[in-house]
Amino acid sequence: MRHAHRVDQVRAAEAELMARLPEGTLMQRAATGLAVTCARLLTRRRGRVYGSRVVVLAGSGDNGGDALYAGAELARRGARVTAVLLAPGRAHGGGLAALRAARGRVVVEQEVGLADFSRADLVLDGIVGIGGRGGLRPEAEPYARAARTGVVVAVDVPSGVDADTGEVAGAALRADVTVCFGTYKPGLLIDPGASYAGAVQLVGIGLELPPAGVVALQHADVADLLPVPGAESDKYRRGVVGVAAGSARYPGAALLAVAGALRGGAGAVRYVGTAAEEVVRRFPETLVTEGGPAGAGRVQAWVVGPGGGEGAGRALAEALAADVPVLVDADGLTELARLGPGALAGRTAPTLLTPHTGEAARLLAGAGAGAGAGPGGDGGTRSEQPRPPAAEELAAARLATARRLAAAYRATVLLKGSTTVVADPSGSVRVNPTGTAWLATAGSGDVLAGLAGSLLAAGLSAPDAAAVAAYLHGLAARHTAGVPGAPVTASEVAAALPAVWNDVRAGAAPEPRSGRPGGTGA
């Protein structure tokens, strides 16, 4: 599991460690790990470090110091190192002295620095550290726009990316590799910042940190959570997931949600809705019940909303009245936004919401409206709702958006998009690293909803079910798309789930890169 900590937690741990170590030891640890990574990249790229052209973009403070000390180590190995000082009067004195002692070149003229930047084999981005906020300052902005031929290595975080949130408020320098110290930073795992980070590599420096508020699951974590039947299991002990989905207009949503549910670990799938005939024809193992969730019989979890149309309101009310976990998606979320958080008041069983950012905007607007009505109540009209926040703003602040929703509705939230973020009401977050842009295809969210609902019925907690479903869903899309990648359909993603389930249990599938997480579709 990858653990990501806030800047204030990192600063506190660094201060505690530095108080016990000789002065400068911590920076030397970081710089040595950074230099080792850079040497490896240069050797892979050019066959050797000697003679390589390296540019260090050095801002003020310790981040610039890390870069300068690493540049000095590369210079001692024969690299031709140029340090470009973006804050000449505030450059780290010790790092600058070390670079000069290693016969590194130092320039302050930005025209010269830009020319060297464009020709370099490797660039060390030490402009802004983890405490930086906002985009690059004017003197650094040209480097974000300049052409380059070499690899850019960010020191702890790409300059211009908020380390705590992944937000990018202005110009930022896109990295090919980010070397982070002590722990991952949330902004390296969550878009838009993650898309600037490239491949993320962790260098341990001995920090003692508290439990992380943001984590990303890996293969071993998911394998430990997958439900596996025992010798005495039957279909009811494994769990029955109810799916209330589909309508005359969107019958395919029912088929896709059931397809995901059948491959999610529960022992049986019970379907209610208008697409019963199509569902049984395609999946004869499905249990079909006429009417709504209230009369469906025994289930351990409900999935409500995919393609539900006008019937989503009734299905949501009946499912929420049951004392079992409920996953709300698509048209169910539209209905929940109309009712507001009061629709979930008094529920003791878990609720999992799976919005994309457009639905998140409606839910947040609904959280401020007359939300006291329960399911089936009048809850106000759409004209009474406050104006929804812009979906684009929410997408740019994914971490905050997921946490706001989870707190407002007292539910677990799986926020879909370029990075899938799972937040629970306590504020704990899990980030999915396996997604791919190929999941931006019709119906992929229906498959995800069925898969996550089945995991709920099999006994996983709402945060576990959401995180595991997103992980498998992303792997299935990658498995189907192949390399370098081709369009996939939602049906193909569902069909690939057994293969990636086996891969995860066997530990056979390669770990996704931590730095470029993708989405889970709509």
Side-chain angles (χ1 to χ4, degrees), residues 224-253:
D224 286 344
L225 291 169
L226 292 178
V228 179
E232 298 300 319
S233 296
D234 59 34
K235 61 178 178 288
Y236 294 107
R237 289 177 182 173
R238 292 181 59 194
V240 179
V241 57
V243 176
S247 59
R249 186 176 182 184
Y250 300 113

Side-chain angles (χ1 to χ4, degrees), residues 75-105:
R76 285 192 288 269
R77 295 186 59 174
R80 292 180 288 170
V81 180
T82 297
V84 182
L85 305 186
L86 283 90
R90 292 178 291 153
H92 190 278
L96 194 55
L99 182 70
R100 284 179 166 142
R103 299 187 178 181
R105 174 169 164 252

Side-chain angles (χ1 to χ4, degrees), residues 335-354:
E335 179 66 14
L336 183 60
R338 185 183 73 83
L339 299 170
L344 306 182
R347 272 185 57 78
T348 56
T351 306
L352 172 57
L353 313 180
T354 58

Side-chain angles (χ1 to χ4, degrees), residues 2 8 10 12 61 100 107-108 129 153 194 201 308 382 407 412 439 462 479:
R2 296 184 175 95
D8 64 318
V10 174
R100 284 179 166 142
V107 301
V108 296
V153 178
Q201 299 187 14
R382 292 185 187 277
T412 298
L439 274 171
H479 176 91

Side-chain angles (χ1 to χ4, degrees), residues 38-441:
C38 292
R40 187 181 304 121
L41 290 169
L42 287 169
T43 301
R44 188 181 306 155
R45 183 179 180 85
R46 300 186 74 252
R48 60 183 182 175
V49 175
Y50 187 87
S52 299
R53 291 171 296 187
V54 174
V55 167
V56 176
L57 299 178
S60 59
D62 290 347
N63 187 259
D66 294 332
L68 289 166
Y69 275 119
E73 292 195 31
L74 294 172
R76 285 192 288 269
R77 295 186 59 174
R80 292 180 288 170
V81 180
T82 297
V84 182
L85 305 186
L86 283 90
R90 292 178 291 153
H92 190 278
L96 194 55
L99 182 70
R100 284 179 166 142
R103 299 187 178 181
R105 174 169 164 252
V106 178
V107 301
V108 296
E109 300 84 1
Q110 297 309 307
E111 295 80 3
V112 176
L114 281 166
D116 288 338
F117 174 88
S118 298
R119 295 191 299 263
D121 298 304
L122 184 142
V123 174
L124 270 170
D125 168 18
I127 303 172
V128 182
I130 59 176
R133 295 291 183 271
L136 290 172
R137 302 297 182 261
E139 63 272 16
E141 278 190 26
Y143 294 96
R145 299 189 298 267
R148 70 213 202 182
T149 57
V151 59
V152 174
V153 178
V155 181
D156 225 5
V157 65
S159 294
V161 171
D162 189 304
D164 277 343
T165 67
E167 296 175 28
V168 179
L173 182 54
R174 194 176 299 274
D176 300 292
V177 176
T178 297
V179 178
C180 58
F181 306 128
T183 182
Y184 293 94
K185 315 306 184 291
L188 301 178
L189 304 178
I190 300 169
D191 272 338
S195 67
Y196 284 82
V200 181
Q201 299 187 14
L202 178 65
V203 171
I205 55 174
L207 299 184
E208 296 179 6
L209 292 153
V214 176
V215 300
L217 299 187
Q218 296 176 283
H219 261 43
D221 308 305
V222 175
D224 286 344
L225 291 169
L226 292 178
V228 179
E232 298 300 319
S233 296
D234 59 34
K235 61 178 178 288
Y236 294 107
R237 289 177 182 173
R238 292 181 59 194
V240 179
V241 57
V243 176
S247 59
R249 186 176 182 184
Y250 300 113
L255 294 171
L256 293 168
V258 168
L262 286 168
R263 294 167 173 87
V269 177
R270 192 182 297 277
Y271 174 78
V272 298
T274 61
E277 185 175 342
E278 292 95 330
V279 167
V280 171
R281 185 182 303 117
R282 177 67 180 84
F283 302 111
E285 58 271 84
T286 308
L287 310 174
V288 174
T289 305
E290 294 184 359
R298 178 182 176 185
V299 300
Q300 277 73 47
W302 276 106
V303 174
V304 179
E310 294 180 357
R314 175 190 170 191
L316 178 65
E318 293 182 5
L320 291 177
D323 190 27
V324 299
V326 175
L327 183 151
V328 187
D329 185 49
D331 290 323
L333 294 170
T334 299
E335 179 66 14
L336 183 60
R338 185 183 73 83
L339 299 170
L344 306 182
R347 272 185 57 78
T348 56
T351 306
L352 172 57
L353 313 180
T354 58
H356 54 61
T357 51
E359 292 160 340
R362 293 193 289 273
L363 286 167
L364 286 172
D378 89 9
T381 64
R382 292 185 187 277
S383 62
E384 296 171 335
Q385 306 294 318
R387 182 179 179 181
E392 294 80 6
E393 295 174 9
L394 300 183
R398 306 192 60 78
L399 182 60
T401 298
R403 282 176 165 157
R404 284 175 61 195
L405 276 173
Y409 283 84
R410 302 301 302 167
T412 298
V413 171
L414 185 158
L415 181 62
K416 296 180 284 194
S418 60
T419 304
T420 296
V421 177
V422 177
D424 67 29
S426 75
S428 294
V429 168
R430 301 180 187 193
V431 179
N432 180 53
T434 66
T436 168
W438 293 114
L439 274 171
T441 187

